Amino acid sequence: MQSMYAFKGTESDDLIKEQKFLLHSLDSMYDLYLALLALLTEIHKKSKDHNHKLQNKLVKSEADKNLSLKFQENQLLHIISSNTMLQEAISNRKLNYWDLDFEYVDIMFKAILKSDLYTDYTNEVETNFKKDKQFIIAIFTEIIAPNNKLYDYFEDKKLTWVDDIPVVNTAILKVLRKLKLTSPETALLPDLYKDEDDKEFAIELFKKTFLNSSKFGEEIGKKTTNWDSERLASLDGVLLKMALCEFQKFPSIPYKVTINEYLEVAKEYSTPKSSLFINGILDKIVKEYQAESIHLKAGRGLM
């Protein structure tokens, strides 16, 4: 999806080059995912260092005497920081940029301390994993993910990350929401592909969508005369092209499966109204295919 979006619907003579770019892009997104988890780890360390310095002050203010340790004892942050497999992956891929670029850790940490989220969290009497998780998800959503300085930093690190940041941020939130105290270490290290067949499907979907981009675009355009053309130039247009590719080039995948999958992707990664827009267009296209008996699905019980 992100690779197709990066090419803005163009077609290329050098498909092998673009396929390599796809695989590199997916691997690069995983690096960004790990770099952001490394940032959370360093913010956790920063909270411990911060509290240690306050506790060792010779002259303490009232606030210092009533220091809250909730942030440094946050159970979700502890799971991330103590995950051996995660930390090894970050180290092996040399993705802990924050040792050198520690000023970004300071920026994030200070923003968190100044926030109402932090005040409400530390003033809350009850402490449990659910509340710890809600706090980390909230600061990631409202403070870390939208931070312009961090966005510029990642853009300088790797230009291709500009388009990847929203997708990776969303992926991190999905992983954190599912995390439990009993989750295995692998829960923080999701596989890029389910298996080799999944990887092959991703490559084939990319290739066939890429090679037929103009054709799919024309077909979609005929169904969207009453819609803002900017929507088709956005991620919605890419999702529609990929869905049409599955309709036409993957006969074993039922229409309903394709539609449901792209509606879920739209809800996660595109605008609030995208799923309604995409559902309307795809439903219209499927009805035309069935009426004209074209692009029918192969296999018993498929439609």
Side-chain angles (χ1 to χ4, degrees):
M1 178 184 72
Q2 280 301 103
S3 297
M4 283 303 305
Y5 184 59
F7 295 121
K8 306 298 182 188
T10 61
E11 293 167 359
S12 169
D13 293 329
D14 194 350
L15 184 59
I16 294 175
K17 177 183 175 183
E18 308 306 355
Q19 183 177 313
K20 286 180 179 177
F21 182 87
L22 166 68
L23 297 175
H24 174 75
S25 176
L26 291 171
D27 199 52
S28 179
M29 287 174 68
Y30 199 69
D31 282 349
L32 178 58
Y33 170 87
L34 292 175
L36 281 162
L37 289 184
L39 177 60
L40 285 176
T41 300
E42 293 305 316
I43 289 172
H44 189 208
K45 289 180 184 175
K46 180 70 179 178
S47 71
K48 295 177 181 179
D49 293 342
H50 174 77
N51 288 340
H52 181 72
K53 288 176 182 177
L54 292 179
Q55 287 172 332
N56 287 309
K57 283 172 66 176
L58 293 176
V59 180
K60 295 185 177 68
S61 65
E62 281 302 312
D64 296 336
K65 292 176 183 177
N66 297 296
L67 183 66
S68 172
L69 300 179
K70 285 189 73 172
F71 195 8
Q72 79 169 56
E73 293 176 353
N74 183 282
Q75 295 176 82
L76 182 60
L77 285 181
H78 177 72
I79 287 174
I80 295 170
S81 300
S82 62
N83 188 309
T84 305
M85 291 178 66
L86 171 66
Q87 299 307 324
E88 283 181 358
I90 292 168
S91 177
N92 291 340
R93 294 172 81 127
K94 297 179 173 59
L95 293 169
N96 193 356
Y97 307 127
W98 317 112
D99 287 338
L100 291 175
D101 302 322
F102 57 86
E103 65 267 28
Y104 291 92
V105 178
D106 291 341
I107 290 169
M108 294 298 105
F109 185 68
K110 288 174 182 176
I112 292 167
L113 292 189
K114 291 178 181 177
S115 69
D116 291 336
L117 290 170
Y118 178 80
T119 302
D120 293 343
Y121 173 66
T122 53
N123 287 338
E124 176 71 51
V125 176
E126 186 182 1
T127 300
N128 55 49
F129 181 70
K130 181 179 179 181
K131 289 186 181 294
D132 283 355
K133 181 160 72 170
Q134 287 173 342
F135 172 65
I136 299 305
I137 288 172
I139 63 170
F140 189 87
T141 303
E142 297 184 30
I143 298 174
I144 297 173
N147 187 273
N148 288 328
K149 289 183 179 179
L150 192 60
Y151 183 93
D152 292 341
Y153 171 79
F154 281 129
E155 184 178 12
D156 289 339
K157 273 288 180 185
K158 194 172 291 187
L159 189 59
T160 56
W161 279 351
V162 174
D163 291 327
D164 296 339
I165 291 171
V167 175
V168 173
N169 283 339
T170 303
I172 286 175
L173 288 173
K174 286 181 69 175
V175 169
L176 295 183
R177 288 188 184 111
K178 292 179 181 179
L179 213 59
K180 301 177 182 178
L181 279 171
T182 55
S183 296
E185 288 201 339
T186 51
L188 281 170
L189 292 164
D191 293 325
L192 274 174
Y193 313 100
K194 293 177 184 176
D195 48 37
E196 197 60 31
D197 288 342
D198 190 47
K199 181 179 179 180
E200 284 301 312
F201 172 75
I203 293 171
E204 284 301 303
L205 178 61
F206 173 78
K207 285 164 58 177
K208 291 176 180 179
T209 304
F210 193 77
L211 290 172
N212 295 277
S213 180
S214 297
K215 174 191 167 188
F216 295 152
E218 288 174 12
E219 186 172 348
I220 293 163
K222 293 174 184 177
K223 307 293 186 297
T224 55
T225 52
N226 296 326
W227 294 87
D228 188 345
S229 59
E230 288 184 8
R231 187 177 285 278
L232 290 180
S234 71
L235 191 58
D236 292 355
V238 173
L239 294 177
L240 284 168
K241 288 179 181 179
M242 293 173 72
L244 253 65
C245 186
E246 287 194 20
F247 285 171
Q248 297 183 19
K249 308 296 181 181
F250 295 86
S252 64
I253 303 176
Y255 291 134
K256 286 184 178 179
V257 171
T258 295
I259 292 173
N260 289 338
E261 182 161 339
Y262 285 100
L263 291 183
E264 287 302 310
V265 173
K267 287 176 185 176
E268 288 288 349
Y269 300 111
S270 201
T271 67
K273 294 182 180 179
S274 291
S275 58
L276 290 173
F277 170 70
I278 289 171
N279 187 51
I281 301 302
L282 294 182
D283 185 61
K284 193 183 298 183
I285 289 171
V286 167
K287 286 177 180 176
E288 281 191 11
Y289 288 173
Q290 291 174 331
E292 298 172 15
S293 295
I294 58 174
H295 305 305
L296 299 178
K297 296 298 178 177
R300 185 179 178 183
L302 297 183
M303 64 170 289

